[in-house]
Amino acid sequence: MPSDTGSEYGSEGYDEELEAIRRRKLAELQRRMEEEKQRRQMIDAALRKILTPEARERLNNLRLVKPELAELLEQQLIALAQSGRVKIPITDEFLKRLLSEIYEQTHREPRIEFKRK
């Protein structure tokens, strides 16, 4: 007669293994979130040093609407400041011009072409 205790033991071992995997994944997720939080704090600190309050406000507003563009712009601003290629503090006017240039480079007007036979 087959015993149920063997299958239960196997099930308990399986549950324990699943729980161990869950704990590892949770720990990894928490570690990644902590790293992202620290990275964000470093970026914010750098931006506080190189941007005027008005420029920072514009960047924060942009982050609400277009987070990818804001992140790209943050990286560019920090790189420009570190290389000494811009005057610090970066003003709102400079930021507007930079955004305008980025827009002109990336925005393409839709073109409709008619092919006549």
Side-chain angles (χ1 to χ4, degrees), residues 77-107:
L77 291 170
I78 291 170
L80 286 170
Q82 286 175 342
S83 67
R85 295 189 311 196
V86 292
K87 182 181 164 194
I88 295 178
I90 295 172
T91 63
D92 188 42
E93 286 302 314
F94 179 82
L95 192 59
K96 283 184 200 177
R97 279 184 284 156
L98 192 57
L99 282 168
S100 179
E101 288 175 19
I102 290 172
Y103 178 79
E104 288 174 11
Q105 291 172 1
T106 59
H107 182 73

Side-chain angles (χ1 to χ4, degrees), residues 10-23:
S11 176
E12 286 176 16
Y14 178 75
D15 290 344
E16 289 172 9
E17 187 177 331
L18 224 91
E19 189 58 34
I21 291 170
R22 284 187 187 128
R23 282 193 300 268

Side-chain angles (χ1 to χ4, degrees), residues 10-39:
S11 176
E12 286 176 16
Y14 178 75
D15 290 344
E16 289 172 9
E17 187 177 331
L18 224 91
E19 189 58 34
I21 291 170
R22 284 187 187 128
R23 282 193 300 268
R24 282 195 305 270
K25 289 210 180 255
L26 180 61
E28 175 68 17
L29 180 61
Q30 288 172 336
R31 183 186 62 77
R32 284 184 187 169
M33 288 177 66
E34 185 61 33
E35 286 175 357
E36 178 62 25
K37 182 179 174 184
Q38 289 175 351
R39 186 183 75 80

Side-chain angles (χ1 to χ4, degrees), residues 40-53 56 89:
R40 186 76 239 164
Q41 288 174 343
M42 288 175 56
I43 290 172
D44 287 343
L47 292 173
R48 251 184 260 109
K49 290 178 183 176
I50 64 174
L51 296 175
T52 62
R56 225 173 39 247

